[in-house]
Amino acid sequence: MADKLRIVHCFRSPVGGVFRHVRDLADAQAAAGHMVGIVCDSTTGGEFEERLFEQMKDTLALGVHRTPMQRHVGPGDLASARRTYRIIKELRPDVLHGHGAKGGAYARLFGSLLRVSRSRVARLYSPHGGSLHYDESTATGKLFFALERFMARFTDCLLFVSDYERRTYRRKVGEPPVPNALVYNGLRASEFGPVIARPGAADLLYIGMMRDLKGPDIFIDALAAAGPRLGRVPSAVMVGDGDDLPRYHAQVKRLGLEASVQFLRPMPAREAFTLAALVVVPSRAEAMPYIVLEALAAAKPMIATAVGGIPEIFGPGSPALIRPDAVELAGKMSEALADLVAYSRLMPDGADLRARFGADVMAAEIEKAYFAALNA
C-alpha cells in the first residue's frame, strides 16, 4: 500500500461545522503529501464560503467539485447522484470519506460501485449528527435509521466526533457491525490564544447557522427575559446566515429588541469574538460543535447548552451548561454578566483543551483509520 493516498471528501452543505471539519482535514492531509479533493453542493453557502474555497484551491490536488445536491430525499436525488458519481469516478479515490447523511450515503454507495471495476476503495462515514438528530419514534426517524442499518454493509469504518454521537448511533441504529472510532474535532495551533473584545463591544454573541436546531430563537427570547433581571436589555450581535434568518429579524422586532440586537453576515470566528464579551451557544442538538472549541481556545467565557458532545468539552456538571430553554438561559446570562471575571474562571483549562482537541491529533487518528480500512 502506497503511503500517499488519493482522498475525496464528499458532503452536502459547505457551511458550518462539517465544512470546517473537512477544511481542517484536507489541509492536514495535503500537508502530509496526500492528494485531496472535495465534492459538495453548489447551491448552499455564500460569499464567505466562496472565499474559503478560494483559499483552499492551491492545496487540493484533486480540486473542488460542486454540483447541486438537495437536502431532503426526493426525485432530484437520482440526477444528483448520477452527476456526483461521474465526478468521483474521474477522481479515482483510494479513500472516499462521506460527511453527514447525504455525503455518507453517496460515499458508501459510490465507493461500492467503484469496487466493481477497480481496486479497493476505502469507504468511511462521519455522521456529524446528521440523521441521528431524528426522533426514533417517528416515521421519518424509523426510515432514516433503517437506511443507516442497511448502509452499514457498505461501510469500512465509522468515525464519530463525540462519544455522545457514538452512543446515539448505538441506541437508534444499533451496534455498529464494522470498525468504528471516536475522533474529536480539532483546532489548529494558531487558534489557541486569547481574543480580546474590542472597546464598545456588545454583551453577548451568537454565531452559527440561522436555523431553529441551533437555537437563535432561544437566544432572542432569553435576551428579552434577561432585561428585567439586569435592569437593562443586554446588547447582542448575531452572526450567521440561513433560511430562517427573516424569522429571527421578525422575532427581534416583535419583542422590541431592535436597538439591542445587530445582525451580521458570516465571518471568521476569531473576528466575531472581538464583537462581544460573552459567547452563547443555545443549540437544541449538536454532535461536537467547532464553535464551542473555538471560543474556549480563544479564552472567551461562554454559556452553552448541555446537548450532544458539548458536556465532553466542558466536563460533567459544569456550571456553564444549561438546558436549551430561554428562561434558564436568561438567568445564566444575568449571572455571567453580573461578574464576568468570576464567571470566566469556570471555563475549562486551556492546556487540557489543546491536548485533547488539536487538529494534528484529529488528522493522525483519521489517517490511521484510512490505512486500517484499506489494509483490512
Side-chain angles (χ1 to χ4, degrees), residues 102-176:
K102 184 63 62 78
Y106 281 178
R108 291 178 286 177
L109 287 174
F110 301 156
S112 300
L113 286 173
L114 290 174
R115 288 186 178 196
V116 175
S117 58
R118 60 173 299 254
S119 59
R120 182 170 175 80
V121 177
R123 304 157 300 177
L124 292 93
Y125 171 43
S126 295
H128 297 287
S131 60
L132 298 181
H133 289 317
Y134 285 99
D135 184 341
E136 64 268 40
S137 67
T138 65
T140 302
K142 289 175 182 176
L143 171 62
F144 275 111
F145 301 138
L147 289 172
E148 287 286 3
R149 283 188 287 273
F150 174 75
M151 291 300 299
R153 68 187 67 186
F154 305 110
T155 309
D156 296 306
C157 184
L158 285 162
L159 293 171
F160 297 106
V161 296
S162 68
D163 188 53
Y164 167 84
E165 185 177 68
R166 182 160 58 180
R167 294 196 313 270
T168 301
Y169 186 97
R170 287 171 171 158
R171 176 168 56 85
K172 294 184 176 181
V173 180
E175 186 65 30

Side-chain angles (χ1 to χ4, degrees), residues 22-370:
V22 172
R23 295 198 316 273
D24 285 348
L25 262 186
D27 284 346
Q29 290 162 354
H34 301 299
M35 301 181 71
V36 186
I38 285 175
V39 179
C40 66
D41 179 41
S42 60
T43 65
T44 51
E47 294 180 4
F48 176 65
E49 287 75 25
E50 289 296 335
R51 290 196 298 271
L52 294 175
F53 277 124
E54 186 67 21
Q55 293 168 11
M56 298 178 69
K57 68 177 186 180
D58 292 335
T59 64
L60 298 180
L62 301 183
V64 174
H65 306 268
R66 302 187 67 182
T67 184
M69 297 180 187
Q70 62 186 45
R71 181 178 179 182
H72 299 291
V73 177
D77 273 328
L78 295 176
S80 174
R82 283 196 296 268
R83 289 191 302 267
T84 307
Y85 175 65
R86 285 197 296 267
I87 293 168
I88 290 174
K89 185 177 181 181
E90 290 178 1
L91 295 176
R92 297 179 293 110
D94 300 308
V95 174
L96 254 177
H97 189 162
H99 304 264
K102 184 63 62 78
Y106 281 178
R108 291 178 286 177
L109 287 174
F110 301 156
S112 300
L113 286 173
L114 290 174
R115 288 186 178 196
V116 175
S117 58
R118 60 173 299 254
S119 59
R120 182 170 175 80
V121 177
R123 304 157 300 177
L124 292 93
Y125 171 43
S126 295
H128 297 287
S131 60
L132 298 181
H133 289 317
Y134 285 99
D135 184 341
E136 64 268 40
S137 67
T138 65
T140 302
K142 289 175 182 176
L143 171 62
F144 275 111
F145 301 138
L147 289 172
E148 287 286 3
R149 283 188 287 273
F150 174 75
M151 291 300 299
R153 68 187 67 186
F154 305 110
T155 309
D156 296 306
C157 184
L158 285 162
L159 293 171
F160 297 106
V161 296
S162 68
D163 188 53
Y164 167 84
E165 185 177 68
R166 182 160 58 180
R167 294 196 313 270
T168 301
Y169 186 97
R170 287 171 171 158
R171 176 168 56 85
K172 294 184 176 181
V173 180
E175 186 65 30
V178 297
N180 61 93
L182 167 61
V183 183
Y184 284 129
N185 290 338
L187 302 181
R188 296 180 292 272
S190 61
E191 294 177 277
F192 289 92
V195 174
I196 307 301
R198 69 188 187 188
D203 295 313
L204 302 160
L205 170 70
Y206 170 88
I207 174 172
M209 294 179 67
M210 294 295 179
R211 55 185 296 216
D212 282 355
L213 188 74
K214 300 299 183 180
D217 57 318
I218 296 174
F219 179 77
I220 295 167
D221 281 340
L223 288 174
R229 303 182 189 214
L230 285 169
R232 63 180 180 87
V233 177
S235 56
V237 176
M238 300 186 70
V239 176
D241 201 358
D243 294 340
D244 295 331
L245 182 57
R247 188 151 50 80
Y248 304 134
H249 278 283
Q251 183 182 1
V252 165
K253 184 176 182 179
R254 185 177 69 252
L255 293 172
L257 299 175
E258 293 160 290
S260 302
V261 179
Q262 181 182 17
F263 287 92
L264 296 175
R265 304 292 293 176
M267 66 180 71
R270 288 177 70 86
E271 182 180 331
F273 293 154
T274 67
L275 303 178
L278 179 66
V279 179
V280 179
V281 177
S283 302
R284 290 180 168 88
E286 288 287 358
M288 176 56 69
Y290 267 98
I291 194 60
V292 173
L293 296 175
E294 290 171 296
L296 293 174
K300 298 293 291 187
M302 69 184 309
I303 301 168
T305 48
V307 299
I310 293 177
E312 295 170 51
I313 304 172
F314 280 88
S318 169
L321 298 177
I322 61 164
R323 294 180 301 113
D325 174 81
V327 174
E328 190 169 333
L329 176 54
K332 187 62 68 174
M333 285 176 174
S334 303
E335 173 191 332
L337 292 173
D339 190 343
L340 204 52
V341 173
Y343 185 79
S344 298
R345 299 191 188 105
L346 304 176
M347 299 301 107
D349 177 71
D352 178 62
L353 286 170
R354 186 188 293 260
R356 296 173 61 213
F357 301 104
D360 54 342
V361 176
M362 174 184 70
E365 289 299 311
I366 290 178
E367 183 182 271
K368 190 187 303 180
Y370 289 172

